[in-house]
Amino acid sequence: MASAPANEPSLRPPRPLRLLAEPLEVSLEWRAAESAVDRSAEGQGADAMLRMWGREWHLVEWMGPERIQTAWWTEAACQRDYYQAVSVRGPRFWLFRDLTAGRWYLQGIYD
């Protein structure tokens, strides 16, 4: 398969170099959502406080979602929306929301 020319952007979203061996469940508290409609857009410009490893990160920029799902008839069906989230302090995280359980997880960290 031929790759895209160097001057054209890749069609695939970039992935972080540091991936966790197992996704880590995290806590997100939405800050900027004024209404239920705003909250349903999760990540579309809303500020959030990410809590994990005994620390907090103020997330101010979101890109996504990128939906990844497997066939519903398989034993381990997977339905996830992936986001890139940028912290005020600089780190960029690769997070996903498990659409079945509604929980958030950290999958990786960008360098």
Side-chain angles (χ1 to χ4, degrees):
M1 179 176 197
S3 62
N7 60 350
E8 290 184 24
S10 170
L11 297 177
R12 296 186 65 196
R15 299 287 187 249
L17 293 177
R18 291 189 285 161
L19 293 173
L20 277 64
E22 294 289 327
L24 173 69
E25 187 172 354
V26 298
S27 170
L28 280 179
E29 178 184 329
W30 298 98
R31 299 276 181 162
E34 298 279 330
S35 69
V37 173
D38 293 337
R39 290 191 98 162
S40 69
E42 289 167 345
Q44 302 306 310
D47 286 3
M49 190 63 68
L50 170 65
R51 291 184 180 91
M52 62 183 175
W53 299 318
R55 295 181 61 194
E56 293 183 342
W57 286 269
H58 182 193
L59 303 178
V60 293
E61 185 179 342
W62 292 80
M63 291 149 279
E66 175 191 1
R67 178 150 300 165
I68 296 178
Q69 61 186 36
T70 60
W72 58 268
W73 58 85
T74 61
E75 280 188 39
C78 170
Q79 296 180 335
R80 299 174 177 175
D81 277 350
Y82 278 86
Y83 296 86
Q84 293 179 39
V86 180
S87 166
V88 168
R89 290 188 242 162
R92 184 165 50 133
F93 303 102
W94 197 34
L95 302 166
F96 72 85
R97 181 169 181 245
D98 180 324
L99 299 176
T100 305
R103 295 186 184 108
W104 284 90
Y105 295 86
L106 173 70
Q107 183 75 66
I109 302 172
Y110 291 85
D111 289 325

